[in-house]
Amino acid sequence: MIARVLPDVGAIHRVFDYLVPPELERDVAVGTMVRVTLQGRRVGGWVVAVADEPETDRALQPIAKVRGMGPPPALVDLTSWAAWRWAGPRASFLGTASPPTAVRGLPPAPARTPQPTAPVADDLAKEALAGGRRVLRLPPARDPFPVVFEAARLGPALVLAPSVAQAAHLAMRLRRNGFAVAQHPRDWASAAAGGSTVVGARAAAWAPLAEPAAVVVLDEHDEGYQEERAPTWHARDVVIERARRAGAPCALVSPCPSLESLATAPLVAPSRSEERAGWPVVEVVDRRKEPPGLGLFSERVVTLAREGGRLIAVLNRKGRARLLACVSCGELGRCEVCESAVEQTDAGTLRCRRCGAERPSVCLACGATRFRVLRAGVSKAREDLERLAGRAVAEVSAESTDAVGDAPVLVGTEAVLHRADRADAVAFLDFDQELLAPRYRAGEQALGLLARAARLVGGRRDGGRLVVQTRMPTHEVIDVVVHADPSRFALVESARRAALRLPPESAIAEISGEAASPFVAALGNDGVSLTGPSAAGRWLARAEDHRRLCDGLASTPRPPGRLRVAVDPLRL
DNA sequence: CGGACAAGCTGA
DNA sequence: CAGCTTGTCCGG
């Protein structure tokens, strides 16, 4: 018996043949994790195929050790596809699909799927999982659990949630309903044994179910599903492919579905009135019509902060002040080293955001020591709101570690929307910053923020309330919440993407690193067009679809040196 | 990736 | 020319 082994070594993308000693034959199959001798040293690797005859005349080495079970053959096969789709090494996908600690044997599979105790009847869930792929648009306040329930009823299903905490919560609810459940990656062995529905976050896209009976992705628009480091694989796209291969129904659930999903699957949505009920009331504060000098806070937000209900104010700017001007001469506060804008620290000094140089609060032009805040950050916002509201206001950012507790008023970056679990109102202090962010997905991302905030306040019948401060009150993203109709954004945005040839109207990859230049020189051909390099030394490869793009990337030899290829880059 | 080996550089 | 650095090649 011959094992074809892919070593778990960075720069090796080849498969090598090894002899399987007779006493190990029982333990070796496609997916098995082994240790082998390569060039005199021991390295880990995966058996990606078994054969009777070697492909070489060389003398074969025996497999040194069987480390344990690895991904099932269907997933080993899927890693080849993923390596093509995201232009990355197959070994990195095999690593994600492998157990966190060695698995020598599997627990017994549950004899049969236990009969759920309390059936949840839901026509939309049934329709979304009737067969093939569907986008299921459910408003933020509507519980998606019936979809998960319906999927698990069909057999061992694969269910993704954007965060580990949400996945754990779903697992608990499924268990309470009588289903056998495995949490990925903790229960890797149970998942591999079969018979259990598997629940997890991004990495669970690679959970070891042989063939899911159904696939559900909750909040499929969530950016947490995409890996930031190259290869930039997307969990949603991985499970879509798994569902396709298994012939299993696949429901992509979201209050604001991504254009990518809408472009490739039919939409299922509740009635207008049901959808409306699931979005909160939104108050749009048109800042163009307000008297000048109010700063970050409209009268409406100040009133809400005073009134008593729990208010969360969102401002996506960290620190105290992001842009300052001298009180006496009006000159902008800039770095004496690199001339970039300086920010004000909590200690009152000025710090450069680009190079980190710090200096006392002194104007470079006139020597005055006082500055006016032109663009406040959350720290300043917290101070101001506390003064205006006359009660304690807490600050929350990604860095702050204090428990949110039940502080009545919170000010924070968007991290606050992840840390708090409920609110009576959420106010976006500078929503234009989100709408106008220089990224092609800014609109989708802004809408995602509104949907997340909507979850914290609940639907309109629960008194849920969003306040959006903006100078673009008729922007289609705001329109979505005003009318509780996400298609208002999708229509406008997909036309815009088509005009600009941006995804999903094209497939793009960002290429950077020292080897980028020779790589793109060899790339530009059949169906792949190139732009670049940008100031940061990045190229953009674009094709009509992923097939053309990924074929082009795969057929181009990689020159030596560091090369980063980010297919479907999030930020652009 | 990391070991092997070859070619290139330095100093006595 | 020994002794060391740097570069290139390749793995079962």
Side-chain angles (χ1 to χ4, degrees):
Chain A
M1 184 183 186
I2 305 294
R4 308 237 138 92
V5 175
L6 181 75
D8 185 13
V9 176
I12 297 182
H13 308 296
R14 278 184 52 204
V15 169
F16 299 92
D17 284 356
Y18 287 87
L19 276 172
V20 182
E23 69 274 18
L24 291 182
E25 279 191 12
R26 263 167 25 94
D27 300 329
V28 170
V30 170
T32 305
M33 299 176 75
V34 296
R35 284 187 78 77
V36 293
T37 308
L38 187 66
Q39 191 98 351
R41 68 197 172 106
R42 289 280 183 93
V43 298
W46 291 270
V47 176
V48 294
V50 291
D52 296 327
E53 294 297 322
E55 273 183 337
T56 171
D57 301 334
R58 289 164 157 278
L60 297 192
Q61 298 263 11
I63 279 175
K65 189 169 184 260
V66 172
R67 293 215 295 186
M69 304 187 62
L75 279 192
V76 173
D77 194 47
L78 192 69
T79 61
S80 297
W81 170 81
W84 167 83
R85 176 64 176 69
W86 287 284
R90 201 177 168 193
S92 77
F93 296 107
L94 286 163
T96 310
S98 296
T101 54
V103 171
R104 316 292 317 205
L106 297 181
R112 62 188 176 85
T113 299
Q115 208 48 44
T117 50
V120 180
D122 188 291
D123 291 343
L124 276 179
K126 287 202 165 68
E127 192 183 342
L129 288 163
R133 194 189 324 157
R134 296 283 188 286
V135 174
L136 176 57
R137 198 174 72 199
L138 291 182
R142 182 146 167 175
D143 183 9
F145 187 70
V147 190
V148 178
F149 182 97
E150 183 63 23
R153 224 177 47 76
L154 293 173
L158 178 54
V159 180
L160 302 189
S163 75
V164 175
Q166 287 170 78
H169 184 236
L170 278 178
M172 186 194 70
R173 290 179 77 180
L174 280 170
R175 279 194 201 101
R176 232 192 261 148
N177 278 278
F179 292 106
V181 183
Q183 267 172 269
H184 186 85
R186 198 192 67 185
D187 307 326
W188 193 95
S190 310
S196 297
T197 283
V198 181
V199 183
R202 177 177 63 215
W206 296 97
L209 306 77
E211 271 215 336
V215 167
V216 176
V217 182
L218 295 180
D219 280 339
E220 64 83 24
H221 68 282
D222 197 293
E223 295 184 353
Y225 282 126
Q226 185 162 22
E227 174 66 51
E228 287 176 32
R229 288 161 303 185
T232 52
W233 59 275
H234 200 298
R236 182 227 299 139
D237 297 335
V238 172
V239 298
I240 284 174
E241 178 66 12
R242 287 185 75 168
R244 195 189 65 76
R245 292 179 175 209
C250 174
L252 306 171
V253 187
S254 169
C256 46
S258 64
L259 294 178
E260 277 76 6
S261 294
L262 289 170
T264 60
L267 176 68
V268 176
S271 70
R272 285 285 45 247
S273 62
E274 282 178 280
E275 192 160 19
R276 238 175 83 75
W279 284 88
V281 171
V282 60
E283 296 178 27
V284 181
V285 177
D286 185 350
R287 302 229 76 191
R288 296 171 306 180
K289 298 197 172 132
E290 290 199 318
L294 287 181
L296 273 173
F297 301 99
S298 62
E299 285 170 19
R300 180 64 186 135
V301 170
V302 173
T303 307
L304 283 170
R306 281 193 180 138
E307 252 171 15
R310 184 184 221 193
L311 172 71
I312 293 177
V314 180
L315 178 66
N316 253 334
R317 292 199 292 263
K318 290 192 278 187
R320 189 165 188 291
R322 307 281 279 187
L323 192 64
L324 301 144
C326 173
V327 164
S328 67
C329 75
E331 198 69 27
L332 286 177
R334 295 167 77 188
C335 173
E336 54 194 330
V337 183
C338 72
E339 306 203 316
S340 175
V342 293
E343 63 179 356
Q344 195 169 47
T345 64
D346 286 333
T349 58
L350 304 178
R351 182 172 50 207
C352 175
R353 287 206 274 136
R354 194 196 300 167
C355 73
E358 207 167 321
R359 72 162 197 269
S361 180
V362 176
C363 174
L364 292 178
C366 76
T369 57
R370 293 186 53 219
F371 286 84
R372 197 155 51 84
V373 175
L374 294 185
R375 201 168 296 148
V378 278
S379 302
K380 176 81 162 50
R382 191 204 67 78
E383 291 165 21
D384 291 354
L385 189 58
E386 192 162 82
R387 193 161 29 76
L388 292 165
R391 55 175 177 158
V393 174
E395 178 188 332
V396 178
S397 70
E399 286 82 30
S400 56
T401 49
D402 315 348
V404 166
D406 25 289
V409 183
L410 296 169
V411 174
T413 59
E414 68 176 273
V416 70
L417 300 176
H418 296 260
R419 300 276 291 278
D421 54 359
R422 53 152 292 281
D424 296 301
V426 174
F428 290 89
L429 301 180
D430 185 2
F431 202 62
D432 298 337
Q433 183 190 334
E434 319 299 336
L435 294 175
L436 297 174
R439 291 170 246 131
Y440 83 95
R441 287 176 183 273
E444 273 187 302
Q445 289 162 341
L447 184 51
L449 282 182
L450 291 177
R452 178 170 283 281
R455 288 253 165 81
L456 299 182
V457 299
R460 58 194 65 215
R461 247 171 287 160
D462 314 313
R465 190 166 294 274
L466 296 183
V467 179
V468 179
Q469 299 190 156
T470 179
R471 291 176 190 277
M472 297 186 285
T474 59
H475 192 286
E476 59 275 9
V477 167
I478 296 172
D479 236 23
V480 165
V481 199
V482 170
H483 296 94
D485 183 4
S487 62
R488 283 173 181 252
F489 170 71
L491 278 171
V492 175
E493 183 70 7
S494 58
R496 182 155 45 215
R497 299 273 180 92
L500 297 172
R501 276 198 72 212
L502 285 166
E505 295 297 325
S506 68
I508 56 181
E510 189 185 59
I511 299 159
S512 57
E514 60 184 282
S517 173
F519 182 77
V520 296
L523 179 64
N525 52 24
D526 37 50
V528 182
S529 61
L530 286 160
T531 49
S534 68
R538 290 153 195 251
W539 275 263
L540 214 58
R542 191 198 307 252
E544 212 170 290
D545 51 34
H546 282 104
R547 193 181 54 75
R548 278 171 239 256
L549 177 71
C550 300
D551 279 352
L553 293 171
S555 63
T556 305
R558 303 234 170 173
R562 233 187 53 79
L563 180 70
R564 179 183 143 95
V565 179
V567 178
D568 311 333
L570 257 183
R571 307 193 152 254
L572 197 71

